Structures are given as structure tokens and as C-alpha cells.
Amino acid sequence: METKRTPLTDWHKAAGAKLVPFAGWVMPLSYTSQVAEHVRTRTSASLFDVSHMGQICIQGPQADVFCDWLLPNTVSGLEIGSQASYHPLCREDGTIVDDLLIYPISTDHYLLCVNAVNVDKDMQHILDQAKIFRFEGSIENKSDQFAQIALQGPKSQAILAQAYPEWAELRRFRFSCADSGWLVSRTGYTGEDGYEFYIPNQDAVSVWETLLETAESLGVECAPAGLGARDTLRLEAGYPLYGHELDDEHTAIQSGLGLFCKTEHKTFLGSDVLAAQKQTSPQTRLVAFKSESKRAPRQGQMLTDEHGHEVGQVVSGAFGPTVGVGIGTGFLSIQREQVWAVSPQGRLSLTVCELPFYTAFKRKKKE
Amino acid sequence: MGKHVHESCLYTKSHEWLLQHESDTYVMGISDHAQDSLGDITYLGLPEVGKAFKAGQVIGFVESVKAVSDIYAPVDLEVLEVNSTLEQAPETCNHDPFGKGWIAKIKVTQSEQLSELFDAKGYEAYLSEEQ
């Protein structure tokens, strides 16, 4: 398979980025120190080239009704042209095809932002469901037409207010479209305030450089960050990543996405199974855990109880630069408060905890 | 990109270095090349003080943002002291691999094995071969 390049690949190369293959793309892993890129995103701002992300357009009369049935979270209640929402994309049995953001551009035009690794699988799934639903509009993979840039960090708004003031006042999860073909949203995958730009490929370098130059002129520390930092940022923030917390085997409830499955309010693909699982709480569930030192659990390691009996497996694990300890997630088939990750270097004791490990946002305390 | 190779150290194929402290006591660590390929180092699994190891045995490990790598005994040795400042600041191994990022002070128990290690020139040649 040919490795795809983003409109910014040459820019990354010139900047000395370490480039790696990722989901069929060649993407920057890091430019300097991955930990420094993580920390800067938490304290100031970073730019991420996320042009590998996929975009699928669902268009036609009844696109709103189809999307509301296809997806578990709120679709019909979203403000058209300005409010996005997050969803797992589920099968009838509740298992997860992908996770995505949906942007209702108009009642007959919905844009889905999906994972690069899943674009083809998503297309197939949505086309199959369209047949069942008798949705007669168009479903198109427009991934190659969009570049995507994320500006993330507490200083994002200050940069945007100078560079592109028309978007700076968007509220969280709100978006706005422009005649230029741009869509900008107050969203991100780092647990920090920030914006994502969905723009035609030819505009990518200019947006990227404008944001960097604006930050510099303001004296705000802002530089590119790679996929490595993006992964530890999202893990600290408790955001799932497909292929880790989300997969074809576990349901949205098992993966901890019950909050995004509005089984009480609507009927949708998979709602029967997901509603039942909300009641009975499945045996195998995703949990989060942390170590007491900087030593981290690692993806693929077996998890055991105190007697050494297998109770699960690590799906994500890393040192969390902001929380300062090793953090991770895994599926446990038997629930425990303390588990051990097994590796050739010896057992690592882990305490099961609530997600997120870190938040910059005010949140309601769960009782 | 040429990585720094400290002139006075001895080196292993697995990128540990040894520097003579006095007579049969040596300081050991991981090379600049090793820290550079590992990326940000986030945790050091330090060997146990007082423990003896045979050449080639795993004495500890390094965790980085990219991987977990074992640290091997360059020669038969006994661990005299470990650099416990690395517990709180493992990134010192990135910033100063031949200095403040030292990992352990050891006693070499089979000194004739030292001749099997690379000197700085030999290690430089080995690094350029490996690339």
C-alpha cells in the first residue's frame, strides 16, 4: 500500500521531525522531545498535523434522520451549522466500528470525522446500514480533500484571536463554516482548550505558518507536536483511541462510552443491546490504573490479581508527563482495585482509578 | 548525526559504557547513542546494590516513551552503588549520559573481560557500521 503524505509532510521533514508510518500515512512522531511537546501543550500551545484523520460526508434528504439512527449520541438535538458531538459508531450488537465527531452542516449534510485506520471499514458499515435504512442520499469518503490542523493548549484562544478572530469566540464543541470551504471547531484530543481546522489541502501550509508566526509575534510559546505527545495527552485526558480502548470485540458500554449512548432518549443501531448492558453492567470492562512511580504499564502486558491469576490485559500504557506517574487502561474480566502488569522486567503494581487522569476542564463531581 | 562518544570509556555492543573510577571499581551508564535512540527516558529500573552479575546478564532496564530496554552487565561485576537521583529525574540520562546520568558504580570481578569491550575508536566504528 502506498504511504500517503499530508500537505505538511515536507514542512515536517524540513523541521527535522521524526517521521513514522501510521495508518497508511507518514506522520510526525515528534520534532524534539516528546515529553517537552506534551508539557508545552499543557502549559502554552502546540500545533498538530492531523490530516490523516478521515472525513465522510452523508448528504441528501433524510440525512438527519439516518444519522440520528446510525449514531448513539445526540444528533437531532444539535444546533444545525454550529454544534458538533462525539460518538462511538456501533454495530447492532453494540460493538464498535470506530469513534467519531459529527458536524451537522445542514439538515441534509453531515460531516463525520473518523480515524484514518478505519475509513474503509466505516464506509462499508455506513453504506450497509444505509441500505437497511433505505437512505437514498450520498455517502462519500472525502478524506483526501481535507487537511486537518489542531491548535491545542491554554494559549490557543489568544493565538486565534489574533490570527483568525472570527473563530476565536466559538464555545466548546461549537463550529463554524466559511465560504472558503473551511470548518473550524472548538474541539481537540489533548484535554486542553483548542481548535481544529478542517481545510482544503492547498490552505494547510498557510494556516500552519500563520498560527506559528502569530504565536511568535505575541510572544506565546507554540510549536508543532507529534503523534507521540498526542497519545500521552489523550491518555491523561481519558480519551479512548481506536485499536486500544476501542475495538471490534467490545461494546461501547464495556469500553466506558455509556455516557455517549442515549439509550434512554432514542432508538438507534445497537440501542437494544447497549440499553440492556447499561442495566446489567458487563463482566469485562475497561478500567484505568496508575502506578506509584514513573514506571509505566505497556500495551499488551497481562494483568493479574495478587495471586498471579490473569484478570485482563493492558491496552494503553505510558508515563504521564503531567500526572508524573505511569498510567494506563485495560480490560478486566474480573474487577479488582489493585492489579499487576506482568513483564520480563518484573511485576508492576497498579491501582485502579477513575478517568480522566488529568483535566483542564471544570467537571461535575459524580456521586 | 554524529553522537558523542566519550574518549576514556569502554563500550559494549548493547551500548553500555564503563569508566574506570579507581583500580577495579568502574562507573557505568548508557551511551549517548543509546539515549538518543530511546527518546525521552521516563523510568530507570536500577540494579540491586550488593548483587553480583555475570557478563551479559540483565542488571536493570530503561523505560522510554518508545520502548523498554534491558541494561546488560558488560563484564562479571558486583553492584556497589546506584544513582538514586535517576528515580526522580530519569531524564538526566538523556541530558548527560556520560556524567550525571551514570547508572551504577560497580566492582569488576573478572578484569580480563575488559579487553573484550570496545574502546572509543572501536565503538565509533561499531556505530557507523550499525547504521
Side-chain angles (χ1 to χ4, degrees):
Chain A
M1 196 171 70
E2 191 197 349
T3 310
K4 292 185 194 166
R5 298 160 51 88
T6 81
L8 290 158
T9 305
D10 287 334
W11 197 99
H12 304 320
K13 239 181 225 172
K18 185 169 171 49
L19 297 168
V20 293
F22 181 81
W25 294 75
V26 54
M27 299 302 293
L29 178 67
S30 59
Y31 300 78
T32 52
S33 148
Q34 185 177 312
V35 171
E37 289 171 11
H38 175 116
V39 171
R40 188 191 55 234
T41 313
R42 291 261 182 263
T43 55
S44 189
S46 293
L47 267 188
F48 297 82
D49 177 10
V50 286
S51 301
H52 61 300
M53 298 294 287
Q55 288 80 23
I56 294 172
C57 282
I58 300 179
Q59 279 174 281
Q62 301 256 297
D64 51 347
V65 189
F66 174 56
C67 288
D68 201 37
W69 174 77
L70 179 73
L71 294 165
N73 198 356
T74 304
V75 175
S76 66
L78 296 174
E79 280 177 33
I80 299 296
S82 70
Q83 189 180 17
S85 67
Y86 170 78
H87 298 255
L89 175 62
C90 291
R91 300 183 183 84
E92 196 169 8
D93 65 0
T95 59
I96 307 167
V97 182
D98 200 1
D99 67 335
L100 57 84
L101 285 180
I102 187 167
Y103 294 91
I105 295 182
S106 66
T107 51
D108 55 9
H109 184 184
Y110 285 75
L111 173 72
L112 313 184
C113 175
V114 303
N115 286 297
V117 67
N118 287 333
V119 181
D120 295 338
K121 187 174 71 165
D122 295 342
M123 279 298 292
Q124 194 55 56
H125 172 80
I126 298 169
L127 288 167
D128 290 347
Q129 298 313 317
K131 247 180 234 162
I132 294 167
F133 192 83
R134 296 174 199 272
F135 172 66
E136 286 168 354
S138 72
I139 296 162
E140 283 179 90
N141 176 3
K142 297 207 172 175
S143 306
D144 291 341
Q145 295 168 35
F146 283 96
Q148 194 177 329
I149 292 170
L151 172 66
Q152 300 280 294
K155 300 286 171 64
S156 299
Q157 191 180 19
I159 298 169
L160 222 66
Q162 185 71 28
Y164 301 106
E166 61 272 40
W167 320 98
E169 296 302 324
L170 285 170
R171 283 177 293 141
R172 188 112 185 108
F173 268 89
R174 298 298 165 132
F175 70 94
S176 183
C177 298
D179 296 336
S180 53
W182 290 23
L183 185 160
V184 180
S185 61
R186 190 92 178 241
T187 51
Y189 193 51
T190 59
E192 295 299 330
D193 187 17
Y195 302 82
E196 289 179 294
F197 290 73
Y198 298 79
I199 48 179
N201 285 319
Q202 68 267 19
D203 295 336
V205 172
S206 125
V207 170
W208 184 264
E209 290 183 337
T210 300
L211 291 170
L212 288 174
E213 284 159 16
T214 305
E216 197 181 350
S217 73
L218 292 169
V220 170
E221 197 193 351
C222 176
L227 292 183
R230 186 169 144 92
D231 190 43
T232 50
L233 288 159
R234 71 91 196 165
L235 183 59
E236 282 188 340
Y239 297 151
L241 174 60
Y242 202 92
H244 297 254
E245 289 77 13
L246 312 179
D247 58 32
D248 290 316
E249 313 294 322
H250 296 94
T251 68
I253 303 301
Q254 289 181 299
S255 290
L257 298 182
L259 195 62
F260 306 101
C261 301
K262 302 296 183 198
T263 50
E264 304 83 359
H265 304 300
K266 65 178 206 176
T267 302
F268 55 89
L269 184 65
S271 56
D272 290 353
V273 174
L274 294 168
Q277 284 200 353
K278 272 193 181 181
Q279 295 303 316
T280 57
S281 190
Q283 187 84 28
T284 300
R285 308 199 286 278
L286 185 81
V287 298
F289 33 73
K290 52 177 149 189
S291 78
E292 279 157 24
S293 69
K294 296 189 173 204
R295 193 175 161 202
R298 299 274 166 160
Q299 187 193 359
Q301 289 173 346
M302 181 172 78
L303 293 165
T304 71
D305 62 13
E306 67 272 33
H307 305 298
H309 298 135
E310 181 169 359
V311 292
Q313 203 179 39
V314 178
V315 291
S316 288
F319 168 67
T322 307
V323 296
V325 293
I327 56 174
T329 57
F331 284 99
L332 289 190
S333 54
I334 303 166
Q335 299 306 312
R336 289 279 184 271
E337 285 175 11
Q338 194 79 21
V339 291
W340 283 262
V342 179
S343 76
Q345 288 76 29
R347 302 202 313 170
L348 173 64
S349 168
L350 298 163
T351 306
V352 172
C353 61
E354 293 278 318
L355 284 175
F357 298 102
Y358 165 89
T359 182
F361 306 114
K362 284 185 192 140
R363 65 188 165 127
K364 290 172 204 146
K365 190 84 187 157
K366 262 196 291 184
E367 282 303 327
Chain B
M1 216 164 40
K3 283 293 142 213
H4 183 62
V5 173
H6 192 290
E7 269 305 309
S8 325
C9 291
L10 299 172
Y11 297 87
T12 64
K13 284 189 179 176
S14 44
H15 309 287
E16 291 88 5
W17 56 260
L18 274 185
L19 181 65
Q20 191 167 29
H21 182 58
E22 51 189 23
S23 65
D24 59 353
T25 62
Y26 284 72
V27 181
M28 71 172 283
I30 59 166
S31 73
D32 192 34
H33 171 85
Q35 71 78 20
D36 185 63
S37 10
L38 285 165
D40 297 82
I41 291 170
T42 54
Y43 182 80
L44 262 293
L46 296 167
E48 205 179 303
V49 174
K51 226 177 154 183
F53 294 92
K54 292 273 177 208
Q57 273 188 320
V58 174
I59 66 165
F61 60 95
V62 189
E63 287 194 5
S64 77
V65 291
K66 285 188 207 149
V68 182
S69 302
D70 289 323
I71 307 170
Y72 299 94
V75 291
D76 292 8
L77 61 87
E78 188 190 319
V79 181
L80 300 177
E81 192 185 334
V82 293
N83 183 359
S84 51
T85 67
L86 298 180
E87 281 164 21
Q88 277 316 302
E91 64 276 10
T92 313
C93 288
N94 290 117
H95 304 148
D96 192 8
F98 295 108
K100 292 196 177 98
W102 65 277
I103 289 171
K105 197 179 274 184
I106 59 165
K107 183 176 165 180
V108 175
T109 50
Q110 292 287 335
S111 57
E112 67 276 13
Q113 290 172 344
L114 291 168
S115 63
E116 289 162 33
L117 303 177
F118 293 125
D119 60 8
K121 261 209 176 109
Y123 182 61
E124 264 172 358
Y126 172 68
L127 288 183
S128 54
E129 242 173 69
E130 238 197 358
Q131 274 150 19

